[in-house]
């Protein structure tokens, strides 16, 4: 194909494109579309649908639901109510949930289960009480470490290990070298590791 032939073909394509670009729909088609649109508008205005209950009262209902959630949280969690009484500088102590691993009944003796029950009761009472002074914090840590030692004596290593792992979670200061119970915590940790 030569350049002249190509130029003529391009000129024909451009003239066809220009002709098709100016095409307009017929006036009857326009009038039909406008008539249908007017009929639809007049039909929808005459049969005005009412809003749904939710759309009509969405703000009052959502506000009431929010108030209900907040009131329920205050009623369920008394610690939130007591937080207004505590000074701003003091953090609230949180306790981890107690998880006891079940063991087969034949493997436990009466003496071991009594010691374990004592240790678990001691740790629960520690977790339930609120600790707000440094002396009582050290006493609570000491009680928890006593419970771990009692479990070690009764050879319940898994429960002792779980209880000992809760100590730094509840009181991270026990991991500091200058803490008075730091050495005792590490001795118990080494004793558990040695018995495993």
């Amino acid at each position: 194909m030569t350049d002249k032939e190509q130029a003529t073909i391009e000129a024909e394509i451009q003239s066809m494109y220009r002709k098709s670009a100016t095409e307009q729909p017929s006036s009857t088609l326009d009038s039909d579309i406008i008539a249908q649109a007017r009929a639809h508008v007049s039909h929808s205005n005459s049969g005005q649908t009412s809003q749904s209950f939710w759309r009509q009262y969405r703000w009052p209902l959502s506000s009431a639901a929010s108030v209900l959630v907040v009131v329920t949280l205050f009623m369920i969690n008394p610690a939130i109510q007591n937080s207004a009484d505590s000074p701003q500088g003091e953090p609230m102590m949180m306790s981890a949930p107690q998880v006891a691993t079940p063991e087969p009944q034949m493997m436990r003796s009466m003496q071991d289960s009594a010691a374990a029950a004592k240790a678990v009761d001691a740790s629960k009472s520690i977790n339930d009480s609120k600790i707000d002074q440094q002396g009582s914090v050290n006493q609570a840590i000491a009680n928890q470490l006593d419970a771990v030692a009692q479990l070690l004596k009764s050879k319940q290593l898994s429960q002792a290990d779980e209880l000992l792992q809760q100590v730094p979670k509840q009181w991270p200061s026990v991991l500091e070298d200058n803490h008075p119970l730091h050495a005792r915590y590490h001795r118990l940790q080494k004793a558990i590791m040695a018995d495993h």
Side-chain angles (χ1 to χ4, degrees):
M1 204 194 264
T2 64
D3 288 337
K4 288 184 182 183
E5 290 175 349
Q6 187 174 359
T8 57
I9 291 173
E10 286 180 14
E12 285 179 31
I13 292 173
Q14 286 179 356
S15 67
M16 285 184 207
Y17 179 71
R18 287 187 191 122
K19 286 180 186 176
S20 66
T22 59
E23 286 183 10
Q24 295 292 324
S26 66
S27 60
T28 59
L29 183 61
D30 279 343
S31 62
D32 287 345
I33 291 172
I34 291 172
Q36 283 182 355
R38 286 185 181 144
H40 180 71
V41 167
S42 66
H43 176 64
S44 64
N45 284 343
S46 65
Q48 186 76 263
T49 58
S50 63
Q51 287 184 341
S52 69
F53 180 77
W54 171 248
R55 284 186 156 247
Q56 190 175 4
Y57 297 107
R58 65 177 166 245
W59 293 111
L61 286 175
S62 59
S63 298
S66 298
V67 168
L68 183 68
V69 167
V70 169
V71 168
T72 303
L73 284 175
F74 272 104
M75 290 178 71
I76 290 174
N77 194 355
I80 293 174
Q81 293 171 353
N82 295 337
S83 67
D85 300 337
S86 67
Q88 288 289 62
E90 276 186 44
M92 285 182 22
M93 298 299 287
M94 297 188 66
S95 62
Q98 296 292 324
V99 179
T101 56
E103 293 181 350
Q105 188 68 24
M106 293 166 36
M107 294 179 68
R108 285 188 254 159
S109 69
M110 289 298 279
Q111 200 172 41
D112 291 345
S113 62
K118 251 189 208 179
V120 169
D121 287 342
S123 68
K124 281 184 182 178
S125 66
I126 291 168
N127 290 336
D128 291 343
S129 66
K130 289 191 176 183
I131 302 169
D132 54 357
Q133 296 177 355
Q134 185 60 29
S136 61
V137 169
N138 289 342
Q139 183 62 39
I141 296 171
N143 289 345
Q144 187 103 357
L145 294 177
D146 289 340
V148 170
Q150 217 172 18
L151 287 170
L152 274 173
K153 285 180 185 176
S154 63
K155 299 293 183 193
Q156 294 181 349
L157 299 177
S158 62
Q159 289 179 348
D161 189 32
E162 287 177 14
L163 201 56
L164 190 64
Q165 287 177 5
Q166 290 176 5
V167 171
K169 289 177 185 174
Q170 291 175 350
W171 303 286
S173 62
V174 79
L175 295 175
E176 297 172 3
D177 291 336
N178 61 352
H179 195 277
L181 296 170
H182 176 76
R184 184 173 178 204
Y185 169 77
H186 277 293
R187 278 195 308 269
L188 287 171
Q189 195 174 31
K190 287 177 183 178
I192 289 174
M193 293 299 174
D195 287 342
H196 271 293

